[in-house]
Amino acid sequence: ILGTAITYTPNQWLLVGTASYYHNFAPTPQKHQLLNYFVGDGHGLEAFAGYSFKFDRDYFTEIQPYIAADRLSLKSDQKDYDINQKFIGLFTQVSKNIKLYTEYTFVNAKDKSLKDMAYITVFYSF
């Protein structure tokens, strides 16, 4: 795996771009020896933009609406995997230890079983 990321944080903005290349990363559905199990290559791109609003409170210290997009393409000897996703979300710092992520993902993929998704994730830091 070879990858790079660029982050730019002017004031309360967070702007990120990434690019990755995967060599011998995608598994093959064919029965091969263990050394030849991963035979495909791929690449991925991602972009993220978020703006943080800070609050001087004991609870509810930060909120960050964001948008993001990514593309992942994996090519193996039998099957190709391509997916494009767009994200809209909201990060909330509830307290020093509790973070909440709410996100909706719009999916565009060759595999029609992949659908749009909504997530709510809670993090507690010890």
Side-chain angles (χ1 to χ4, degrees):
I1 299 174
L2 177 64
T4 189
I6 296 173
T7 302
Y8 183 56
T9 55
N11 299 319
Q12 287 149 277
W13 283 98
L14 173 59
L15 306 171
V16 180
T18 68
S20 302
Y21 173 74
Y22 311 96
H23 179 64
N24 286 341
F25 187 79
T28 179
Q30 298 293 327
K31 291 185 178 182
H32 288 278
Q33 296 176 356
L34 183 60
L35 294 175
N36 295 327
Y37 181 71
F38 293 103
V39 298
D41 293 343
H43 66 275
L45 300 170
E46 184 171 348
F48 176 96
Y51 186 84
S52 293
F53 298 93
K54 309 281 185 177
F55 302 95
D56 190 19
R57 309 262 167 110
D58 291 336
Y59 294 95
F60 190 69
T61 59
E62 179 182 354
I63 189 168
Q64 181 188 66
Y66 64 87
I67 59 171
D70 70 15
R71 172 171 172 60
L72 178 63
S73 179
L74 300 173
K75 308 291 183 201
S76 70
D77 61 344
Q78 296 292 314
K79 186 176 181 182
D80 294 343
Y81 177 82
D82 290 295
I83 186 167
N84 293 300
Q85 300 179 110
K86 294 170 187 71
F87 310 89
I88 185 167
L90 185 67
F91 161 76
T92 307
Q93 181 83 38
V94 179
S95 70
K96 180 181 175 185
N97 297 0
I98 300 173
K99 299 175 185 175
L100 176 69
Y101 288 87
T102 306
E103 182 175 280
Y104 192 84
T105 304
F106 302 91
V107 177
N108 181 3
K110 282 184 178 180
D111 183 351
K112 296 304 176 192
S113 69
L114 299 172
K115 304 289 182 198
D116 294 354
M117 300 167 276
Y119 295 96
I120 297 175
T121 308
V122 178
F123 289 93
Y124 182 81
S125 301
F126 296 96

